């Protein structure tokens, strides 16, 4: 293999910052690193998958609740453990869950709030949450199994972004492949300090 | 919204964009060269779709034999 034509100068720049950006929004870390086409691919594939899944669930399939899975496994939202990794598009669910957990009214009419009612809820909080529960339970009647497909899409999107975050931090798995027949990336002239680690 | 339109599509067709996204993202995480990404993604797409189709065929066969 001709070492002069190998991919060893993947511009990772500040790898931790790139990983953080990738975790915040799919593809953002790669755009920061100058790996534009890859960033765009991650953005379209991961955020696109998440957006379609979110729409299939009518915006009511991404939520979190501060529930102990050992005490209350029925209300524990396992899907969100995957959805969380999409980044900012999924993070409002944590804010809403925290507000409800501490007895505050969720923001934006309960957008991304868990469809759960608690007898100890304040009257105002209960009123909003009843709307959230109604909306969540009407999904099956309106769209049938599409909500489940939305659950799967949004969860897989989050899990795929874990790969993208790792790629932003560590670079591609096969770093020493020949690229004589094709240009590898747009800004191959720049070298990262972390890339040769 | 477009959701009512999607409601008339058979649920199995929703697997294809999912497999495509998985193939592309996985391949992109393995390679940096665009050509290799696309080739790897195409291979992976065919493999996953083939395995799923085979599994479905076997399950259908078993189902009709019972």
């Amino acid at each position: 293999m001709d070492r002069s034509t190998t991919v060893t100068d993947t511009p990772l720049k500040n790898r931790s910052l790139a990983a953080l950006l990738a975790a915040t929004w799919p593809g953002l870390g790669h755009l920061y690193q100058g790996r534009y086409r890859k960033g765009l691919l991650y953005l379209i594939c991961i955020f696109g998958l998440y957006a379609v899944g979110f729409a299939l669930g009518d915006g009511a399939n991404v939520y979190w609740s501060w529930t102990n899975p050992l005490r209350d496994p029925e209300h524990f939202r396992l899907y969100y453990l995957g959805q969380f990794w999409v980044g900012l598009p999924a993070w409002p669910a944590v804010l809403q869950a925290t507000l409800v957990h501490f007895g505050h009214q969720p923001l934006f009419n309960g957008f991304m709030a868990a469809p759960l009612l608690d007898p100890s809820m304040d009257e105002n909080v209960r009123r909003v949450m009843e709307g959230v529960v109604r909306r969540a339970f009407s999904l099956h009647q309106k769209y049938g199994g599409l909500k489940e497909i939305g659950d799967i899409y949004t969860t897989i999107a989050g899990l795929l972004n874990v790969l993208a975050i790792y790629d932003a931090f560590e670079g591609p798995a096969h770093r020493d492949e020949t690229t004589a027949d094709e240009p590898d990336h747009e800004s191959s002239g720049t070298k990262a300090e972390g890339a040769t680690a | 919204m477009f959701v009512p339109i999607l409601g008339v599509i058979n649920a199995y067709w929703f697997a294809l964009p999912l497999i495509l996204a998985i193939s592309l993202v996985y391949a992109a995480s393995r390679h940096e060269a665009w050509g290799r990404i696309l080739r790897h993604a195409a291979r992976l797409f065919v493999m996953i779709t083939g395995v799923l189709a085979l599994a479905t065929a076997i399950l259908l066969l078993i189902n009709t034999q019972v």
Side-chain angles (χ1 to χ4, degrees), chain A residues 171-187:
Chain A
H174 301 300
R175 301 272 294 277
D176 56 347
E177 58 196 19
T178 57
T179 55
D181 55 337
E182 57 209 329
D184 55 303
H185 43 72
E186 298 89 334
S187 54

Side-chain angles (χ1 to χ4, degrees), chain B residues 13-33:
Chain B
W13 289 109
F14 287 96
L16 291 180
L18 184 65
I19 298 168
L20 184 67
I22 291 170
S23 305
L24 280 168
V25 171
Y26 179 76
S29 74
R30 307 298 290 174
H31 308 280
E32 196 66 19

Side-chain angles (χ1 to χ4, degrees), chain A residues 15 90 153 182:
Chain A
R15 301 190 308 162
Y153 269 30
E182 57 209 329

Side-chain angles (χ1 to χ4, degrees), chain A residues 7 10 35 37-38 41-42 45-46 49 52 55-56 143 146 149 152-153 156 160 163-164 167 171-175 177-179 181-185, chain B residues 1-4 6-9 11-18 20-22 24-40:
Chain A
V7 180
T10 303
R35 300 154 83 189
R37 285 191 292 183
K38 222 178 197 190
L41 184 137
Y42 286 139
C45 288
I46 297 171
L49 199 63
V52 172
L56 287 174
Y143 306 128
L146 287 182
I149 295 169
I152 294 167
Y153 269 30
I156 299 285
L160 287 177
L163 281 178
D167 182 33
H174 301 300
R175 301 272 294 277
E177 58 196 19
T178 57
T179 55
D181 55 337
E182 57 209 329
D184 55 303
H185 43 72
Chain B
M1 287 285 282
F2 67 99
V3 174
L6 293 175
V8 298
I9 301 171
Y12 288 101
W13 289 109
F14 287 96
L16 291 180
L18 184 65
L20 184 67
I22 291 170
L24 280 168
V25 171
Y26 179 76
S29 74
R30 307 298 290 174
H31 308 280
E32 196 66 19
W34 201 246
R36 283 174 185 271
I37 290 173
L38 293 179
R39 277 197 296 274
H40 191 158

Side-chain angles (χ1 to χ4, degrees), chain A residues 67-73 76:
Chain A
T67 311
N68 185 335
L70 299 176
R71 281 196 210 143
D72 190 6
F76 182 71

Side-chain angles (χ1 to χ4, degrees), chain B residues 31-53:
Chain B
H31 308 280
E32 196 66 19
W34 201 246
R36 283 174 185 271
I37 290 173
L38 293 179
R39 277 197 296 274
H40 191 158
R43 261 200 329 271
L44 197 56
F45 181 86
V46 170
M47 198 187 77
I48 296 173
T49 312
V51 168
L52 284 180

Side-chain angles (χ1 to χ4, degrees), chain A residues 119-188:
Chain A
S120 63
M121 277 175 175
D122 176 60
E123 187 57 39
N124 290 332
V125 178
R126 171 173 281 277
R127 191 165 34 79
V128 176
M129 293 310 290
E130 279 174 350
V132 173
V133 171
R134 261 199 309 276
R135 196 168 65 226
F137 284 97
S138 70
L139 280 178
H140 270 289
Q141 292 171 328
K142 274 161 61 182
Y143 306 128
L146 287 182
K147 185 198 163 289
E148 275 78 22
I149 295 169
D151 285 343
I152 294 167
Y153 269 30
T154 48
T155 307
I156 299 285
L159 296 176
L160 287 177
N161 202 37
V162 174
L163 281 178
I165 294 166
Y166 187 70
D167 182 33
F169 185 75
E170 203 63 62
H174 301 300
R175 301 272 294 277
D176 56 347
E177 58 196 19
T178 57
T179 55
D181 55 337
E182 57 209 329
D184 55 303
H185 43 72
E186 298 89 334
S187 54
S188 56

